[in-house]
Amino acid sequence: MKTPSARNVPALLQALHQEGYTGTVRVSGSPGGTIHLRDGLVGAIETPGAPTATSALLASGRIDDDAWLAACAAEPDADRLGLHLAAADLIGAVELEIVCTAAVFDGAFAMALSPPGAWELTERQPTLLARPGVEPRPLAEETTRRMALLSRLWGPAGELARVRPEPVTGGPGTPEFDGRLTRRHRDLVESANGRRTPRDIAFSRGRGLYAVMLDLIRLEALQAVRWETGTPPAGRPSTAPRFPQGQSASEPLPRAGPLPRRRPGGGSPHGDLGAKGG
């Protein structure tokens, strides 16, 4: 198909939505990512910056590795894998839809945390999909809302994504001190070790990056965790695996700021999923 003219990624996705496009948009950058469209709707976003639906299902233990591998063998077309998982009673259809749709919004948010690079269109690549998918405009609007909320509660979301929280031993709000912490919050305190970023914790717990960041803000306010602000020391690697056991490394979207503008023969910088396209 002829690549539509667009000034940024949100505008591109909106144009592809109007055309009913099925295929893939690859966005370079850090983290960058891959946007999967089916009939113009965003069916999945894969980025190293946040867990995919596959990551969430496996890391959380909702589906175990053996059952997942067996399902992948029984249904090699990943676009149809969700239907097979539900038919095999490995997960309810409604629950699967919630997980997959949440992963789309979380992937868009993760990609919005840093400036994107160029973009390009490629052929359809099978993947676990949210059905029927998410329209680009509400996806961009929700990304912008999330960025604004985190900025209001804490400060720049991109900086919060780089902190490395650690527990406050014996302090107010810790499990030892304060029984008011929910199990969800206690899990995050247990995962915080001074080396993991919010992304690492999200991958290890099979939870969305945005939800983890909100919870960490709450835990810091309760003095259950603490962190040094500013850029982390160079050479300190991310500690969470990018892909859980049983997930292909081929699985790998966007930031609420300027998104890539198209250049002749490809894409270009200066655009973003949180910005409203025209």
Side-chain angles (χ1 to χ4, degrees):
M1 65 166 286
K2 180 181 178 180
T3 302
S5 175
R7 66 179 180 271
N8 55 33
V9 169
L12 170 67
L13 294 180
Q14 188 60 33
L16 294 174
H17 172 60
Q18 293 170 356
E19 295 185 12
Y21 175 75
T22 291
T24 302
V25 179
R26 291 188 173 277
V27 182
S28 63
S30 178
T34 303
I35 310 169
H36 300 269
L37 293 101
R38 301 293 184 269
D39 299 322
L41 299 176
V42 179
I45 291 175
E46 298 172 335
T47 170
T52 60
T54 299
S55 300
L57 291 171
L58 294 176
S60 66
R62 181 59 186 81
I63 299 179
D64 66 48
D65 289 348
D66 290 341
W68 177 264
L69 293 174
C72 291
E75 180 49 79
D77 184 351
D79 273 21
R80 297 180 52 80
L81 181 58
L83 300 174
H84 177 80
L85 293 173
D89 291 327
L90 293 175
I91 188 172
V94 173
E95 181 182 0
L96 179 62
E97 180 61 23
I98 291 172
V99 171
C100 291
T101 302
V104 169
F105 282 96
D106 202 52
F109 166 75
M111 286 186 65
L113 291 172
S114 61
W119 53 262
E120 65 174 337
L121 303 185
T122 64
E123 297 297 320
R124 176 184 77 93
Q125 296 178 353
T127 191
L128 182 62
L129 296 168
R131 294 180 180 275
V134 181
E135 293 187 9
R137 192 175 301 279
L139 180 61
E141 291 172 348
E142 175 61 13
T143 299
T144 298
R145 186 196 71 81
R146 292 183 178 193
M147 298 288 285
L149 177 60
L150 288 177
S151 295
R152 186 167 69 249
L153 293 176
W154 187 86
E159 292 184 12
L160 179 59
R162 295 191 292 271
V163 302
R164 297 176 186 264
E166 63 181 7
V168 178
T169 304
T174 61
E176 299 88 350
F177 186 91
D178 192 343
R180 292 175 298 172
L181 287 184
T182 64
R183 179 61 199 173
R184 184 182 82 241
H185 285 151
R186 290 197 299 271
D187 286 344
L188 290 191
V189 173
E190 292 171 4
S191 296
N193 58 8
R195 298 186 302 276
R196 290 171 168 165
T197 64
R199 170 203 172 275
D200 298 329
I201 295 173
F203 270 92
S204 68
R205 290 292 177 181
R207 293 188 56 201
L209 174 65
Y210 174 68
V212 166
M213 291 170 71
L214 281 179
D215 279 348
L216 288 174
I217 291 174
R218 173 62 174 165
L219 289 169
E220 185 194 32
L222 292 173
Q223 300 179 27
V225 299
R226 64 187 174 197
W227 56 75
E228 297 294 329
T229 58
T231 305
R236 177 180 267 181
S238 173
T239 57
R242 297 218 172 182
F243 304 96
Q245 183 179 357
Q247 179 181 355
S248 169
S250 63
E251 291 189 0
L253 160 117
R255 152 187 161 93
L259 278 182
R261 293 194 186 109
R262 181 171 174 255
R263 292 184 307 195
S268 83
H270 314 308
D272 102 33
L273 263 192
K276 293 183 180 179

